[in-house]
Amino acid sequence: MPHPTTRTHVVGPRGRSAHRLVADAVRAAQPGDTVVVAPGRYEEALELARRIVLVAEQGPGTVVLAAPPGGAPALAVLGPDCVLRGLGLEGADPGDPAVTVAAGAGLVLDHCTVSGGRIEVRGPEGAEPGDFREGEEGTSAVLLRDCRLTGARHAALRLSGGARVRIESTTVADIDGVGAVLAGTARLDVTGLRLESTTGSGIRLRGRSRLRMADSRLTSPGRAGLLLEDTAHALVTTTRIETPGTAGLHLGGESHADLTDSRVLRPAASALVLQDAARLTADGCTVTAPGANGLLATGTARARLTDCRLEDCGFSAVHLADRAEAAFTDCRVRRGAEHGFHVAGSAGLGLTDSTVTGIALTGVVVTDEARATVTGCRIDTAHTGIAVASPAGSRIAHSTVVGAARAGLEVSSGGRAVLTGNRVTGAGAAGLLFDAGSEATVEGGSVEGGSGSGVVVWTGARPVISGLRIDGTGRNGVYFAEGAGGLLTSCDLVGTRLPALHLAAGAAPRLRRCRVLDCPAPFGGDGSAAPVLEQCDLDGAPLAFVGVLHPPAAPVLPGVPATPLVPLPPRAGAGALAPPAAAPAELPTAEPEEEHLDDLLAELATLVGLDRVKQDVHSMVKLMQAVRLREEAGLPAPPLSRHLVFAGNPGTGKTTVARLYGRLLKALGLLRRGHLVEVDRSALVGEYVGHTGPRTAAAFNRALGGVLFIDEAYSLAPESGGHDFGQEAVATLVKLMEDHRDDVVVIAAGYPADMARFIGSNPGLSSRFTRTLLFEDYSAADLVAIVEHQAREHRYALTGPARLRLLGHFETLPRGAGFGNGRSARQTFQEMTERQAQRMAEAVTPTPDQLSTLEPADLPAPALG
């Protein structure tokens, strides 16, 4: 029973009526008594076994209870209902407890500080953690109110067993370890926590522990903001996790987290990471500027996000792999260096009433054996809107794709998809694109405007399309490549700039009840096509295929040679740890900024290897400077041909030097723009008589004021000889080079032996291409330097052993037909990052250094054999 009356005991270093030691006053106190402590530092280990109140006489910051050397904590609580107000508690060793609370004991710390050690709370073993329920206040064995915890090592707060702790308006700062660790069935309720600068994770939950946190801020944890393992559960509302060293929230095992109205800002790695069988529910949350993915889910993880925002992601905003599943409703993805949603492995995505805006690559891309259901969404300003390359079957319904640079909706080789009621506007190359080997069904919807064709059906593809309206496209309504087919039913083709239907050789589509309105012609293409028309109309009259065809109009992709189909941009490896893929190239649209000659020559000097090429370019620059000075002095210029032959194997930097050469000529005042237009045979040579000249002229005109770079130029003069449209392209080029001798530079590139044959195939070429630059293969050391350059650009670093192993790899790498020089180096780097990503996926909490370090184990397999 409590004592019938309560008393006050005074502690002070001096005074007749005061206890000199706090322990003396505690021993004298009865349950319910108050001990008032005068200002000072008291070096003693205090035990509280009954209900006592300790108060700093003159308020917080005036009293310190310091644990003496020897390992005992400053405060050990053994009984219930103990209260400390305004006291400072200081441990003897940062790695040991400063405060311990035994199972069954209770403690309130009010306006207290704990430094130099952790608070350790043990609860009864075998206690159940309980579930979070709406309106539940929870019970606490320990309450921290308006406290500050600093200077601990390993952890500031450790809960075990069935411990119950509540934290209100408290700061945890400068911890060499984790802010709080929960294990067993411990439970922590937090309101108004400010956690700052921990070297480990902010809060770590293991076992069946539970966390409920609201109105809190976790700033600069060295690893994850929240780390959940085993079957732990966290309920987090109105909380900010800022600049964590790895993930904002990392879930593993069978853990589960519910996030509401919370934010993850600028994590160094992915913001939300789900592994194993973890579960995440997020509502009204925002992820901003993660270094990698916004959400990365692997294993059999499950995520459900509603009304969430993912912005400025360093990699794909969402990457799903393995058998992970995720559902997004009313979410927004804005700006990102890769894809909006990348669904790989056997993962599944449900995306409803959401928007994806300003993505560098593809809004939604589905690969491997993955599947996606996209309903009522909007993809705005991406390279490709939605691309399906998986045979598992995806469904895209009632969605809108606006301003895709390449294709609005694409079903790639091996992909299977049903497209229902979608709208594509302003696509650059094609509204709908169906690759060879794809399986696609289109039900309703429209393709409007854009500079490309409405639908492109590539060789061998057989889509089934019904009720589609194609209106005002910049090229054909539907482009059928060689051997393409399919079934079009009740479709309208309206106001196309080129013929409504392009039919290449052997194309054999079936059209039923289709209408062609206000188009320049119904058909273009090849006379060997064999379409089947059933009850189709041309401006109200019966439509018939009569074989009078207009020249073909191959779909042109922006910034790419005129081939109708370009593969998807490369995948970024295993989710969050791989380097981002490069953005698609674009044609120059504006005058380049002025550049200084010295800066450009310095840039040339930084290129790996190419010593002979660099010397040749320097010599040409000096010669051209002399030419310009003579012209400025009114003297006649010496004869000079600026056109060049670049002879070398693939991947030796020919395109890179060509681009830099144009910029050098611009800086010298010898070219107006200095831009580069890269073409090959397919961009210059047509398929029928009369087509090659205009096509070659169009490519040449795009290069006026800059450089026309013709890759594999020898293919314009085949060894077999005979009649070939390539000869027409060469003749056209020779005439245009003469007509525009001062306004364009032509660089012909290819294998050394083949280029000698090409130049000798036409007298006009041999008189205009008088200088050849030989691009030698890269040495093994050069290839290592290229890999290291790639690593620096993507914030990776090679260890010394990895660098040595890489040198050996390149020294033994076969240099046959498949060897790509610099391309082989870049492929090796990508493979290293993918292998490192797999390695890091097995680490629970990799450090930033581990995430950015490439080890010998990351080298391609042949180098390790």
Side-chain angles (χ1 to χ4, degrees):
M1 293 180 61
H3 199 274
T5 60
T6 60
R7 296 178 299 168
T8 298
H9 306 266
V10 178
V11 179
R14 294 182 299 275
R16 291 183 178 180
S17 60
H19 296 280
R20 299 296 177 89
L21 297 176
V22 179
D24 292 342
V26 168
R27 281 191 291 269
Q30 297 298 316
D33 284 359
T34 298
V35 175
V36 178
V37 185
R41 180 183 177 87
Y42 300 83
E43 188 171 304
E44 51 184 303
L46 191 65
E47 287 189 355
L48 299 181
R50 51 189 177 274
R51 182 166 57 90
I52 295 175
V53 179
L54 272 71
V55 181
E57 181 182 32
Q58 295 186 20
T62 62
V63 174
V64 174
L65 299 180
L75 174 66
V77 182
L78 308 177
D81 302 326
C82 299
V83 178
L84 274 69
R85 293 194 177 97
L87 275 67
L89 303 167
E90 184 179 299
D93 187 321
D96 293 333
V99 177
T100 62
V101 181
L107 172 66
V108 175
L109 294 179
D110 188 1
H111 289 83
C112 294
T113 63
V114 179
S115 60
R118 66 180 175 273
I119 298 176
E120 189 165 295
V121 183
R122 301 183 183 91
E125 298 296 333
E128 290 298 319
D131 294 323
F132 295 121
R133 298 180 178 86
E134 189 69 26
E136 180 188 12
E137 292 298 328
T139 59
S140 299
V142 174
L143 170 64
L144 280 65
R145 180 185 296 119
D146 294 305
C147 293
R148 182 176 179 86
L149 283 58
T150 64
R153 188 167 63 241
H154 306 313
L157 178 65
R158 179 178 291 172
L159 283 62
S160 61
R164 300 289 185 269
V165 175
R166 182 174 181 83
I167 294 177
E168 299 175 357
S169 304
T170 289
T171 296
V172 177
D174 301 320
I175 305 301
D176 185 12
V178 181
V181 176
L182 284 67
T185 58
R187 175 165 168 171
L188 176 63
D189 286 87
V190 176
T191 303
L193 172 67
R194 297 294 180 265
L195 185 146
E196 304 167 357
S197 300
T198 62
T199 62
S201 297
I203 300 177
R204 182 177 186 179
L205 286 76
R206 297 181 296 185
R208 293 189 291 154
S209 58
R210 300 289 185 264
L211 168 70
R212 180 164 60 182
M213 182 163 59
D215 302 325
S216 297
R217 177 176 293 184
L218 282 60
T219 303
S220 300
R223 294 189 177 179
L226 297 176
L227 173 61
L228 278 68
E229 302 167 274
D230 304 324
T231 58
H233 180 199
L235 180 63
V236 180
T237 59
T238 54
T239 291
R240 293 166 62 98
I241 302 175
E242 300 183 19
T243 60
T246 57
L249 173 67
H250 192 135
L251 305 179
E254 298 180 8
S255 61
H256 180 200
D258 296 287
L259 270 64
T260 305
D261 297 329
S262 296
R263 303 188 68 182
V264 179
L265 307 176
R266 300 179 298 282
S270 295
L272 309 173
V273 176
L274 283 68
Q275 294 179 317
D276 308 321
R279 302 289 185 270
L280 170 67
T281 302
D283 190 352
C285 297
T286 299
V287 167
T288 302
N293 305 112
L295 170 70
L296 170 63
T298 61
T300 59
R302 300 288 183 269
R304 187 174 73 250
L305 283 75
T306 305
D307 189 26
C308 292
R309 308 289 184 268
L310 290 80
E311 302 173 339
D312 300 305
C313 298
F315 294 169
S316 297
V318 175
H319 186 98
L320 308 178
D322 300 330
R323 291 179 291 154
E325 302 274 349
F328 292 77
T329 303
D330 191 26
C331 292
R332 305 289 181 268
V333 172
R334 295 198 305 167
R335 299 180 300 275
E338 289 191 356
H339 308 294
F341 293 81
H342 188 174
V343 195
S346 299
L349 168 69
L351 186 63
T352 305
D353 297 334
S354 298
T355 62
V356 181
T357 305
I359 297 299
L361 298 181
T362 306
V364 179
V365 58
V366 187
T367 62
D368 302 329
E369 300 292 327
R371 66 201 181 282
T373 300
V374 180
T375 307
C377 296
R378 180 184 176 94
I379 314 293
D380 197 338
T381 318
H383 182 239
T384 298
I386 300 174
V388 177
S390 164
S394 294
R395 180 176 291 273
I396 316 299
H398 309 295
S399 295
T400 300
V401 178
V402 179
R406 183 171 180 265
L409 301 174
E410 175 177 342
V411 185
S412 301
S413 179
R416 185 163 64 90
V418 176
L419 313 178
T420 303
N422 300 295
R423 178 172 178 252
V424 177
T425 67
L432 310 181
L433 176 57
F434 304 112
D435 198 356
S438 63
E439 183 179 336
T441 300
V442 179
E443 301 167 346
S446 65
V447 177
E448 303 166 15
S451 56
S453 296
V455 178
V456 172
V457 183
W458 204 236
T459 300
R462 302 283 190 275
V464 177
I465 303 173
S466 63
L468 179 68
R469 180 180 176 88
I470 301 170
D471 193 342
T473 56
R475 298 182 71 81
N476 304 110
V478 183
Y479 179 99
F480 290 97
E482 293 183 2
L487 172 64
L488 275 66
T489 303
S490 301
C491 296
D492 289 347
L493 290 74
V494 181
T496 60
R497 190 172 68 85
L498 296 183
L501 297 161
H502 172 89
L503 303 171
R510 181 181 294 271
L511 283 72
R512 294 176 179 166
R513 298 184 298 279
C514 294
R515 298 190 303 171
V516 176
L517 304 170
D518 299 325
C519 296
F523 300 107
D526 190 279
S528 66
V532 177
L533 307 178
E534 301 175 9
Q535 301 177 9
C536 296
D537 291 346
L538 170 62
D539 293 322
L543 175 62
F545 181 69
V546 295
V548 180
L549 300 176
H550 290 252
V556 176
L557 306 185
V560 186
T563 61
L565 192 63
V566 173
L568 280 171
R571 270 200 306 137
L577 303 176
E586 294 182 358
L587 289 173
T589 56
E591 292 294 324
E593 295 181 0
E594 292 295 330
E595 295 181 292
H596 196 276
L597 181 62
D598 291 340
D599 295 334
L600 295 172
L601 291 174
E603 184 177 338
L604 175 67
T606 64
L607 298 180
V608 174
L610 304 177
D611 292 339
R612 181 172 174 179
V613 170
K614 294 175 186 176
Q615 182 178 352
D616 289 342
V617 172
H618 272 279
S619 297
M620 289 187 293
V621 167
K622 290 178 181 178
L623 176 59
M624 292 175 189
Q625 285 177 309
V627 169
R628 189 182 62 180
L629 291 173
R630 286 181 62 86
E631 290 177 339
E632 291 174 352
L635 298 172
L640 174 67
S641 175
R642 298 176 296 180
H643 308 302
L644 299 173
V645 173
F646 282 8
N649 291 323
T652 49
K654 296 187 293 294
T655 305
T656 299
V657 174
R659 184 173 288 109
L660 188 55
Y661 183 60
R663 293 162 60 199
L664 283 164
L665 295 182
K666 170 67 165 57
L668 287 166
L670 299 177
L671 283 177
R672 290 184 290 112
R673 298 181 60 190
H675 66 289
L676 182 84
V677 173
E678 183 179 359
V679 297
D680 58 10
R681 176 185 170 95
S682 65
L684 304 176
V685 178
E687 301 171 357
Y688 61 91
V689 175
H691 188 207
T692 296
R695 199 166 190 174
T696 301
F700 191 93
N701 289 336
R702 293 201 307 273
L704 287 176
V707 175
L708 179 65
F709 182 84
I710 308 174
D711 197 16
E712 298 181 350
Y714 54 83
S715 63
L716 298 175
E719 289 185 272
S720 58
H723 180 70
D724 182 87
F725 289 144
Q727 298 174 5
E728 183 183 349
V730 171
T732 303
L733 282 171
V734 169
K735 183 178 185 305
L736 291 171
M737 291 166 68
E738 179 63 26
D739 295 342
H740 302 277
R741 66 176 68 184
D742 295 326
D743 198 30
V744 76
V745 167
V746 178
I747 297 176
Y751 294 104
D754 291 321
M755 291 308 298
R757 175 178 52 79
F758 168 67
I759 297 302
S761 68
N762 185 297
L765 293 177
S766 58
S767 65
R768 286 168 176 80
F769 290 96
T770 59
R771 184 186 292 265
T772 297
L773 272 61
L774 181 61
F775 287 71
E776 298 175 339
D777 286 344
Y778 288 116
S779 67
D782 290 337
L783 297 174
V784 172
I786 292 172
V787 171
E788 291 193 296
H789 176 73
Q790 290 280 305
R792 287 191 297 271
E793 282 193 341
H794 294 94
R795 296 174 65 185
Y796 286 89
L798 276 71
T799 64
R803 190 178 297 106
L804 290 175
R805 186 72 63 86
L806 184 62
L807 180 63
H809 168 78
F810 285 131
E811 286 175 341
T812 59
L813 191 67
R815 298 207 174 201
F819 179 68
N821 280 288
R823 183 176 67 248
S824 294
R826 290 186 291 272
Q827 290 170 344
T828 298
F829 170 68
Q830 181 170 345
E831 186 172 350
M832 291 176 69
T833 61
E834 291 174 355
R835 291 170 67 90
Q836 190 247 29
Q838 296 295 335
R839 203 163 45 80
M840 291 298 100
E842 298 175 1
V844 176
T845 55
T847 66
D849 285 346
Q850 289 174 317
L851 289 171
S852 59
T853 300
L854 297 175
E855 303 281 357
D858 301 322
L859 264 72
L864 301 176

XYZ file of all heavy atoms in Angstrom, residues 492-527:
259
model
N -11.612 4.319 -89.406
C -11.662 5.531 -90.216
C -10.250 6.101 -90.339
O -9.540 6.260 -89.330
C -12.562 6.593 -89.580
C -14.028 6.226 -89.663
O -14.367 5.297 -90.408
O -14.827 6.865 -88.953
N -9.848 6.430 -91.581
C -8.568 7.071 -91.858
C -8.880 8.423 -92.473
O -9.390 8.511 -93.595
C -7.719 6.223 -92.803
C -7.144 4.914 -92.228
C -8.227 3.841 -92.088
C -6.029 4.381 -93.128
N -8.573 9.498 -91.721
C -9.063 10.827 -92.094
C -7.897 11.811 -92.155
O -7.094 11.917 -91.220
C -10.109 11.325 -91.068
C -10.644 12.694 -91.475
C -11.238 10.324 -90.903
N -7.812 12.555 -93.266
C -6.932 13.722 -93.353
C -5.468 13.442 -93.137
O -4.754 14.288 -92.565
N -4.966 12.311 -93.611
C -3.533 12.042 -93.500
C -2.762 12.863 -94.531
O -3.284 13.205 -95.587
C -3.242 10.547 -93.700
O -3.698 10.161 -95.005
C -3.973 9.719 -92.659
N -1.497 13.171 -94.224
C -0.714 13.989 -95.156
C -0.225 13.166 -96.336
O -0.106 13.677 -97.449
C 0.475 14.622 -94.433
C 1.201 15.678 -95.268
C 2.237 16.410 -94.457
N 3.344 15.559 -94.076
C 4.409 15.321 -94.858
N 4.482 15.879 -96.056
N 5.384 14.546 -94.447
N 0.071 11.886 -96.118
C 0.480 10.973 -97.178
C -0.656 9.967 -97.404
O -1.666 9.999 -96.698
C 1.779 10.270 -96.784
C 3.004 11.187 -96.617
C 4.232 10.361 -96.289
C 3.241 12.047 -97.844
N -0.522 9.058 -98.359
C -1.605 8.104 -98.618
C -2.090 7.418 -97.350
O -1.319 7.118 -96.443
C -0.955 7.117 -99.595
C 0.020 7.964 -100.359
C 0.576 8.921 -99.349
N -3.380 7.167 -97.321
C -3.989 6.599 -96.125
C -3.349 5.281 -95.740
O -3.103 5.018 -94.552
C -5.488 6.415 -96.362
N -3.086 4.438 -96.736
C -2.519 3.119 -96.485
C -1.238 2.959 -97.286
O -1.248 3.128 -98.509
C -3.504 2.017 -96.875
C -4.820 1.985 -96.090
C -5.860 1.188 -96.847
C -4.590 1.385 -94.711
N -0.148 2.664 -96.590
C 1.088 2.314 -97.295
C 1.223 0.798 -97.260
O 1.194 0.175 -96.192
C 2.303 2.946 -96.624
C 3.597 2.443 -97.201
N 4.197 3.049 -98.264
C 4.379 1.384 -96.876
C 5.309 2.392 -98.574
N 5.430 1.374 -97.743
N 1.382 0.184 -98.427
C 1.464 -1.268 -98.544
C 2.789 -1.618 -99.187
O 2.974 -1.426 -100.399
C 0.299 -1.806 -99.383
C -1.111 -1.450 -98.875
C -2.155 -1.836 -99.891
C -1.361 -2.140 -97.547
N 3.748 -2.111 -98.401
C 5.038 -2.523 -98.945
C 4.900 -3.885 -99.617
O 3.836 -4.519 -99.589
C 6.069 -2.576 -97.831
N 5.978 -4.329 -100.229
C 5.936 -5.572 -101.002
C 5.442 -6.728 -100.145
O 5.922 -6.941 -99.031
C 7.325 -5.887 -101.540
N 4.474 -7.452 -100.665
C 3.976 -8.639 -99.986
C 3.028 -8.376 -98.847
O 2.556 -9.316 -98.193
N 2.715 -7.115 -98.562
C 1.760 -6.830 -97.493
C 0.378 -7.322 -97.895
O -0.045 -7.143 -99.041
C 1.725 -5.341 -97.193
N -0.342 -7.932 -96.949
C -1.642 -8.521 -97.294
C -2.633 -8.348 -96.151
O -3.128 -9.321 -95.581
C -1.470 -9.994 -97.635
N -2.955 -7.121 -95.785
C -3.945 -6.926 -94.731
C -5.366 -7.136 -95.260
O -5.609 -7.058 -96.464
C -3.721 -5.473 -94.324
C -3.260 -4.815 -95.587
C -2.411 -5.840 -96.282
N -6.295 -7.368 -94.342
C -7.718 -7.468 -94.677
C -8.435 -6.279 -94.030
O -8.291 -6.051 -92.816
C -8.294 -8.783 -94.169
C -9.783 -8.983 -94.510
C -10.292 -10.306 -93.957
N -9.653 -11.430 -94.613
C -10.114 -12.011 -95.716
N -11.237 -11.577 -96.276
N -9.486 -13.029 -96.258
N -9.205 -5.528 -94.849
C -9.939 -4.359 -94.365
C -11.426 -4.584 -94.560
O -11.876 -4.890 -95.674
C -9.506 -3.084 -95.105
C -8.170 -2.443 -94.696
C -6.991 -3.281 -95.173
C -8.066 -1.026 -95.240
N -12.189 -4.419 -93.479
C -13.635 -4.587 -93.535
C -14.317 -3.303 -93.070
O -14.007 -2.788 -91.994
C -14.094 -5.733 -92.636
C -13.634 -7.123 -93.061
C -14.064 -8.144 -92.032
N -13.663 -9.489 -92.413
C -13.674 -10.536 -91.590
N -14.044 -10.369 -90.322
N -13.295 -11.726 -92.027
N -15.220 -2.814 -93.864
C -16.050 -1.658 -93.519
C -15.210 -0.481 -93.008
O -15.561 0.212 -92.057
C -17.101 -2.045 -92.471
C -18.073 -3.112 -92.956
C -19.157 -3.394 -91.929
N -18.604 -3.911 -90.674
C -18.254 -5.175 -90.472
N -18.415 -6.066 -91.453
N -17.773 -5.568 -89.317
N -14.063 -0.264 -93.640
C -13.201 0.865 -93.295
C -13.492 2.042 -94.216
O -13.941 1.868 -95.356
C -11.729 0.465 -93.378
S -11.243 -0.759 -92.137
N -13.207 3.264 -93.742
C -13.468 4.475 -94.528
C -12.197 5.297 -94.637
O -11.462 5.471 -93.656
C -14.561 5.307 -93.880
C -15.912 4.617 -93.791
C -17.004 5.594 -93.347
N -16.698 6.221 -92.061
C -17.386 7.227 -91.538
N -18.433 7.728 -92.204
N -17.059 7.738 -90.372
N -11.947 5.807 -95.855
C -10.846 6.732 -96.113
C -11.444 8.073 -96.504
O -12.207 8.161 -97.477
C -9.926 6.197 -97.229
C -8.843 7.220 -97.561
C -9.305 4.867 -96.809
N -11.136 9.117 -95.735
C -11.753 10.428 -95.947
C -10.674 11.507 -96.017
O -9.781 11.578 -95.162
C -12.718 10.754 -94.798
C -13.844 9.740 -94.530
C -14.548 10.069 -93.230
C -14.829 9.738 -95.678
N -10.758 12.360 -97.034
C -9.911 13.558 -97.145
C -8.423 13.239 -97.077
O -7.622 14.000 -96.507
C -10.263 14.569 -96.035
C -11.705 15.037 -96.141
O -12.199 15.159 -97.276
O -12.332 15.255 -95.089
N -8.011 12.148 -97.668
C -6.590 11.802 -97.751
C -6.099 12.058 -99.181
O -6.885 11.989 -100.129
C -6.366 10.330 -97.377
S -6.810 9.963 -95.654
N -4.795 12.330 -99.379
C -4.317 12.611 -100.737
C -4.457 11.420 -101.672
O -4.560 11.590 -102.887
C -2.848 12.987 -100.528
C -2.491 12.399 -99.204
C -3.721 12.460 -98.373
N -4.438 10.223 -101.140
C -4.608 9.019 -101.959
C -4.945 7.875 -101.017
O -4.560 7.893 -99.837
C -3.348 8.703 -102.754
N -5.619 6.865 -101.504
C -5.927 5.742 -100.614
C -4.728 4.842 -100.367
O -4.577 4.304 -99.269
C -7.042 5.001 -101.352
C -6.839 5.340 -102.790
C -6.299 6.732 -102.821
N -3.873 4.646 -101.411
C -2.805 3.665 -101.296
C -1.474 4.264 -101.744
O -1.400 5.122 -102.614
C -3.092 2.433 -102.167
C -4.355 1.717 -101.803
C -5.480 1.797 -102.624
C -4.436 0.958 -100.646
C -6.644 1.148 -102.294
C -5.606 0.298 -100.314
C -6.711 0.393 -101.133
N -0.404 3.781 -101.160
C 0.950 4.020 -101.610
C 1.755 2.777 -101.301
O 1.368 1.962 -100.470
N 2.847 2.592 -101.999
C 3.666 1.444 -101.680
C 4.076 0.657 -102.888
O 4.576 1.201 -103.870
N 3.828 -0.643 -102.873
C 4.358 -1.564 -103.861
C 3.228 -2.309 -104.550
O 2.259 -2.726 -103.905
C 5.300 -2.567 -103.179
C 6.071 -3.403 -104.177
O 5.504 -4.386 -104.682
O 7.245 -3.069 -104.424
N 3.379 -2.499 -105.853
C 2.328 -3.160 -106.622
C 2.139 -4.616 -106.282
O 1.124 -5.214 -106.647
